[in-house]
Amino acid sequence: MNPTIEKAVTMAVDIANDPTHGYSQANRWGPDYDCSSLLIHVWQEAGVPVKDAGASYTGNMKAAFLKCGFTDVTGEINLATGSGCQYGDVLLNERNHTAMSLGNGQLVHARSSEGNSLQGDQSGNEIRVQSYYNYPWDCILRYVGEGSLVLDKSEPDKLTDDTLYATVCLLPKLQQGDVGYYVQVMQMLLTLKGYTPANTIKTTGIADGEFGSGTEDALNKFKSVMKLPTNGICDSQTFTALINK
């Protein structure tokens, strides 16, 4: 199981099972949530910076999630039955609602305050796990960030095409302890520059997306050559140096 997906799903289910968290649009960034803030929050906390990328409500979730390692798998899903949905898939109606698949015909979502204005879940159903249904959904988004970027040294330009450039131009600041898609991008760009982080590139050519000491050492070596501060931080200036040919 992808640990990032596991973390996001577990957090969403834990929130659903905790009556101190209810549905609210007025107070939607915790401890109460609405449908979109719940999913944005759990993915952000899992290390996928969808909120930093601009996700704030259902209408801009798709664009932000696609920038952060998700892909649109709607064509693989039977929306009427949910067949094809996998654990962690984000189900999205861009105008009104969103939920997360738990697989096996189940989903978790913040669905309604049921007329309760008090903080917390007054009925046990404001944020809940339930059987799959078609809202109807406009699209299904699947996280493929970790394990999806495969190093191919024979075609290095694949890592500096317009799509990747648009992604790294979000320029998050990374440091030891961070995990996720942007860390993978940094690790692979370092490798293409000749500074392969120790113990991070698997035999399959996949970066692990975990910013540990090996990644920090490689980053500082690269920054030293580029005459940048060797502070173990990959900031906008560092990313700019990494993506320049």
Side-chain angles (χ1 to χ4, degrees):
M1 174 60 63
N2 183 304
T4 300
I5 296 174
E6 180 66 29
K7 184 174 180 178
V9 173
T10 298
M11 188 178 302
V13 172
D14 286 347
I15 289 172
N17 290 333
D18 184 345
T20 65
H21 302 291
Y23 181 100
S24 172
Q25 291 189 345
N27 182 31
R28 61 192 291 263
W29 291 109
D32 292 337
Y33 302 92
D34 66 0
C35 64
S36 55
S37 66
L38 173 67
L39 297 199
I40 293 165
H41 170 73
V42 299
W43 283 104
Q44 180 85 14
E45 289 298 304
V48 185
V50 290
K51 188 175 183 181
D52 295 341
S56 60
Y57 75 112
T58 55
N60 58 24
M61 280 178 63
K62 182 177 180 180
F65 276 53
L66 290 176
K67 288 177 182 178
C68 295
F70 285 78
T71 189
D72 188 336
V73 295
T74 311
E76 303 174 20
I77 309 298
N78 183 326
L79 295 179
T81 66
S83 177
C85 281
Q86 295 183 10
Y87 190 76
D89 284 356
V90 173
L91 320 175
L92 181 63
N93 178 295
E94 294 185 73
R95 184 172 181 177
N96 291 316
H97 194 49
T98 187
M100 185 150 60
S101 171
L102 303 180
N104 298 316
Q106 298 285 299
L107 58 79
V108 59
H109 62 154
R111 51 177 296 277
S112 172
S113 68
E114 299 191 330
N116 298 313
S117 60
L118 297 177
Q119 180 180 312
D121 193 338
Q122 306 302 308
S123 67
N125 287 315
E126 295 181 28
I127 304 177
R128 74 183 190 188
V129 173
Q130 68 169 74
S131 297
Y132 173 88
Y133 71 107
N134 186 13
Y135 180 81
W137 308 118
D138 298 323
C139 63
I140 310 297
L141 306 177
R142 179 170 297 158
Y143 182 65
V144 294
E146 290 188 288
S148 66
L149 295 177
V150 179
L151 181 64
D152 184 350
K153 291 185 178 180
S154 67
E155 298 181 274
D157 287 347
K158 282 186 176 181
L159 290 178
T160 54
D161 64 13
D162 290 341
T163 300
L164 180 59
Y165 190 84
T167 299
V168 299
C169 276
L170 291 169
L171 301 175
K173 184 180 290 187
L174 302 174
Q175 58 191 349
Q176 189 167 166
D178 289 336
V179 297
Y181 177 71
Y182 290 121
V183 177
Q184 279 188 300
V185 172
M186 176 189 65
Q187 289 172 330
M188 297 181 70
L189 289 171
L190 281 169
T191 297
L192 289 173
K193 293 290 188 181
Y195 300 88
T196 302
N199 303 317
T200 62
I201 305 297
K202 303 174 184 177
T203 57
T204 55
I206 298 172
D208 66 7
E210 298 179 5
F211 197 143
S213 59
T215 296
E216 183 175 291
D217 289 344
L219 179 66
N220 281 337
K221 288 176 183 177
F222 170 75
K223 294 185 73 171
S224 177
V225 171
M226 299 302 295
K227 302 188 184 306
L228 297 173
T230 54
N231 55 8
I233 295 174
C234 184
D235 54 14
S236 60
Q237 190 176 22
T238 311
F239 263 125
T240 299
L242 282 168
I243 64 177
N244 283 335
K245 291 185 180 181

